[in-house]
Amino acid sequence: MADKRLGLIMHGVTGRMGYNQHLVRSILAIRDQGGVMLSNGDRLVVDPIIVGRDADKIERLAKKHGIKRWSSDLDAALANPDDTVFFDAGTTLMRAGLIEKALAAGKHVYCEKPTSDSLEIAVNLAKTARASGLKHGVVQDKLFLPGLMKLKMLRDSGFFGDILSVRGEFGYWVFEGDWQPSQRPSWNYRKKDGGGIILDMLCHWRYVLDNLFGEVKAVSCLGATHIPERVDEKGNRYKADTDDAAYATFELEGGVIAQINSSWTTRVRRDDLVTFHVDGTHGSAVAGLHKCWSQHRVNTPKPVWNPDQPQTMNFFEDWEEVPDNWPAENGFKAQWEMFLRHVAEDAPWEYGLEAGAKGVQLAELGLKSWDERRWLDVPKLDF
């Protein structure tokens, strides 16, 4: 067994997602466990360099976590032939340009989504990556959540029979920033900065629906800006001019109907911040981030509609929890390990920049559907 070094340029790790999920819980966790085991018994050891515009912030972050290498010069980092992978978790509007620069420098690329706020740019980015022969990937983290993995297991086992419909509820109350600090950065609510929940979340729903329930064929989406004014990180009031809620319906391959509400203006009274309810001819299931409950047709109660009497049935009691038959792993870390194996030994990989473009496509169509107040078909993309 031999150790194989992999130099990794990480950009955008001072933000909440880049720092928590990608740097600390993924790459540093992989570093601390000794690397990633390859199929031939070798161990792939990650050697990250973190890069950002604020040199002081990056240096403090490096010292805090024992990261030996840091820089505020991205061009110099990309010019180093010893670092072969570039990762970006920065802002959406900067992402395509950074990925193009990394590909031109001969780097494999892995990034957060959306890959752009423009479908044309996202498709061209995927084409450029394909033509380069370099490895490329887009984060599809929700596929690696234990709750959704249990839904996949139920589907693969035939538990549902024919899937009829999917209902998703995502969101929570994001404070306006006046009497309590907001849980999300203020750029999320400014259109010029790439904000908006449709651009953010329909990219997620595309890969969830495509991979678990059926390819998305059509979309109808209504957005809303429920909170028109918020307070930013410096205490200044600003106009929130983009959508903070989206109410979308999707037609999937095979006639499955999916309805997903996404909102930063809702108060949670359900099992988790995101839940998916799947109904099939033979059974139903409800999954959150980690847990999943199922109800087979032989265990389905037979309620009778009677508005004159208080309901005596406890419908929650008729569901059975799907057991945790495998150890829970951080979804971001699990996908990171898959991508690193893909780079090192060409291990299987399905989530290239093409998947990122499909997410941007659905978001763009969702915004257009809202603007035009109509259903829109989702055509196949040509890469």
Side-chain angles (χ1 to χ4, degrees), residues 235-309:
N236 299 316
R237 292 188 174 274
Y238 67 95
K239 181 182 178 182
D241 62 355
T242 192
D243 42 291
D244 54 21
Y247 310 92
T249 304
F250 309 93
E251 182 183 0
L252 310 185
E253 188 175 27
V256 178
I257 303 300
Q259 300 165 287
I260 304 180
N261 295 328
S262 310
S263 177
W264 291 321
T265 57
T266 184
R267 295 176 177 88
V268 180
R269 194 178 188 275
R270 54 184 186 270
D271 295 314
D272 214 328
L273 297 187
V274 63
T275 57
F276 291 91
H277 183 125
V278 184
D279 284 320
T281 54
H282 291 176
S284 299
V286 179
L289 294 169
H290 291 270
K291 293 184 177 296
C292 179
W293 292 266
S294 65
Q295 184 179 97
H296 197 265
R297 61 178 174 174
V298 299
N299 297 324
T300 302
K302 192 176 184 180
V304 176
W305 176 261
N306 185 355
D308 299 323
Q309 296 290 332

Side-chain angles (χ1 to χ4, degrees), residues 9 74-82 105 107:
I9 304 162
L74 178 59
D75 289 336
L78 290 172
N80 183 356
D82 294 331
K107 308 300 181 187

Side-chain angles (χ1 to χ4, degrees), residues 201-231:
M201 295 312 302
L202 262 66
C203 292
H204 284 284
W205 306 147
R206 180 67 189 269
Y207 69 75
V208 169
L209 294 172
D210 277 4
N211 284 278
L212 295 183
F213 308 114
E215 187 175 353
V216 180
K217 296 297 185 182
V219 58
S220 172
C221 182
L222 175 67
T225 306
H226 290 307
I227 308 295
E229 184 180 80
R230 292 180 178 267
V231 177

Side-chain angles (χ1 to χ4, degrees), residues 130-148:
R130 274 194 169 191
S132 72
L134 295 162
K135 310 292 188 187
H136 49 97
V138 178
V139 177
Q140 315 268 268
D141 54 285
K142 288 179 174 52
L143 293 178
F144 298 86
L145 290 169
L148 270 67

Side-chain angles (χ1 to χ4, degrees), residues 173-192:
W173 188 268
V174 177
F175 283 91
E176 298 91 322
D178 46 4
W179 69 286
Q180 286 201 46
S182 177
Q183 311 98 296
R184 298 188 67 88
S186 57
W187 68 261
N188 282 271
Y189 304 96
R190 292 190 293 264
K191 187 174 183 177
K192 68 181 179 66

